[in-house]
Amino acid sequence: MPKFLRYAKKLPRVEKGLEKFMDSDYKVLDVTAGFRKFWRGKDTSQVLFLDIRKECKPDVVADNEHLPFRDNVFDVVFYDPPHIFKQGETYYRTQFGLLYYAFKTKHDFLKNLKNVNVEASRVLKKDGKLIVKWSCEDEPKETLPLQTLIAYMRNFKLERIEEVKSRHHTGRFRVYLVTFVKESQKEN
């Protein structure tokens, strides 16, 4: 069995081919890899790409709410969730079509935040970092405010918030890289 993998009972069977990650030195886990736009022009030799959509051709096809890895194995988890929960006929649905994954409701988005908080904390090493690319409207209608993200990351301590310039997000949207540090387990 690969060094850092574990097969959770609640998961459907994970794709074959995970053996290639045996004894690897991956430091970063991207749990929302998509088409890897964030990583363009960056060194990805230590990044393991995970996505639920096979058509994105990630290294691992799995749900970010049920990660198929052992505890305490990554230094960094990167999370760039779909930011809009009201898809309808929005710009994103038109631009990206069916390949663009989105939450159907605000409740689904909040559930994903809660579960990613738990799973990212579980797979991160002590003092590991969760980096979240977060996009929100100045006056949220189709997105969640930054304060919601911070409130839902209960297993983490907020380290920093950095606003980033983005050609993709313009006008009423702001984009942030939010860094959290895994909270140490409390001693009994």
Side-chain angles (χ1 to χ4, degrees):
M1 174 182 259
K3 181 179 175 185
F4 62 79
L5 295 174
R6 75 164 174 74
Y7 293 94
K9 292 178 184 174
K10 57 190 167 190
L11 281 177
R13 189 168 168 212
V14 178
E15 297 243 333
K16 287 187 176 184
L18 292 177
E19 303 81 33
K20 68 182 173 183
F21 304 117
M22 183 181 278
D23 297 322
S24 64
D25 290 324
Y26 286 102
K27 306 287 185 204
V28 178
L29 174 64
D30 183 341
V31 297
T32 48
F35 294 102
R36 306 174 189 186
K37 286 184 177 184
F38 178 80
W39 299 99
R40 286 191 183 145
K42 298 177 177 93
D43 177 14
T44 60
S45 60
Q46 294 186 337
V47 180
L48 183 63
F49 295 101
L50 178 139
D51 202 288
I52 198 166
R53 299 165 294 166
K54 290 180 184 179
E55 58 271 19
C56 292
K57 299 181 181 172
D59 297 320
V60 178
V61 176
D63 184 347
N64 63 19
E65 295 186 22
H66 307 287
L67 298 173
F69 306 108
R70 286 188 308 136
D71 299 354
N72 308 308
V73 293
F74 294 101
D75 295 321
V76 175
V77 169
F78 182 77
Y79 174 57
D80 180 8
H83 307 290
I84 294 181
F85 54 84
K86 292 181 180 177
Q87 276 301 284
E89 289 304 317
T90 65
Y91 168 80
Y92 294 97
R93 182 58 126 193
T94 305
Q95 283 294 106
F96 301 106
L98 297 175
L99 290 181
Y100 183 75
Y101 179 81
F103 300 107
K104 291 182 176 125
T105 65
K106 181 178 180 179
H107 174 76
D108 292 340
F109 198 168
L110 294 172
K111 179 180 169 261
N112 184 259
L113 282 176
K114 180 181 173 187
N115 291 334
V116 167
N117 168 63
V118 171
E119 284 295 280
S121 176
R122 183 181 65 74
V123 300
L124 280 169
K125 294 177 183 175
K126 181 182 177 192
D127 299 320
K129 296 190 183 212
L130 170 64
I131 299 173
V132 181
K133 181 176 167 266
W134 192 258
S135 177
C136 56
E137 299 166 293
D138 292 333
E139 295 181 28
K141 293 177 184 149
E142 294 184 334
T143 63
L144 295 174
L146 184 58
Q147 295 84 349
T148 301
L149 169 69
I150 294 166
Y152 269 76
M153 295 299 123
R154 294 185 176 147
N155 294 350
F156 295 91
K157 178 181 169 190
L158 178 63
E159 183 176 76
R160 82 186 240 194
I161 300 171
E162 176 185 353
E163 188 169 355
V164 294
K165 301 293 181 205
S166 173
R167 291 181 299 168
H168 178 67
H169 297 288
T170 59
R172 65 181 205 223
F173 286 91
R174 296 189 183 277
V175 180
Y176 302 94
L177 282 181
V178 185
T179 304
F180 297 92
V181 178
K182 181 178 175 178
E183 291 269 68
S184 299
Q185 297 293 339
K186 296 180 174 88
E187 301 282 329
N188 289 335

